[in-house]
Amino acid sequence: MDVKEINRKTITQFRAGGEIEGMHREKLVLLTTIGRSTGNPYTTPMMFHRDGDRLLVIASNIGAPNHPDWYQNLVLNPEVTVEVGDETYDAVATPLTGVERDHMWTMLKQLYPFFADHETKTDRTIPVVSLTRR
């Protein structure tokens, strides 16, 4: 499976405004971060959960031992761009911590049980990130 090719195809389909093969458009966000080494923008499609005015994204990396690149990028530079539905906006990415992170993580695992499976595959704490419009 070529993840980069799948992501490119998903981004193209999302931006074209039509159906996205194998995914639910209404649950998909395109998150653009700035590369921590290159300074270049990188766009990653991912699932989100709406929590009031903010979006929550999960850096599960399918249970891999390392955080995904997009997460490592936003830790260094939390200024991101969000594309959701038909709108694009600047946002601030904030990894949740403490009780708030634990509460949201428990809720997300109940709503989306595959995240619990991801958690069993890794020793790292899976980050939950809040995307708040600037």
Side-chain angles (χ1 to χ4, degrees), residues 11-82:
I11 291 165
T12 299
Q13 290 174 339
F14 183 93
R15 288 180 174 159
E19 292 292 316
I20 301 168
E21 185 178 324
M23 298 183 196
H24 299 282
R25 181 177 175 69
E26 69 279 0
K27 297 302 286 177
L28 192 66
V29 62
L30 301 185
L31 178 66
T32 301
T33 59
I34 301 301
R36 62 197 177 283
S37 300
T38 65
N40 294 329
Y42 291 96
T43 301
T44 307
M46 67 188 74
M47 185 196 128
F48 73 92
H49 177 81
R50 191 171 297 278
D51 181 53
D53 290 341
R54 66 186 184 172
L55 304 181
L56 300 178
V57 292
I58 300 87
S60 73
N61 209 13
I62 314 172
N66 300 314
H67 295 309
D69 288 340
W70 64 263
Y71 176 77
Q72 294 179 50
N73 289 344
L74 67 78
V75 167
L76 187 62
N77 181 355
E79 303 293 321
V80 299
T81 302
V82 170

Side-chain angles (χ1 to χ4, degrees), residues 27 47 49-50 56 104-115:
K27 297 302 286 177
M47 185 196 128
H49 177 81
R50 191 171 297 278
L56 300 178
M104 290 299 178
W105 180 239
T106 298
M107 181 263 306
L108 290 164
K109 288 190 296 182
Q110 290 172 349
L111 291 172
Y112 313 102
F114 57 87
F115 285 128

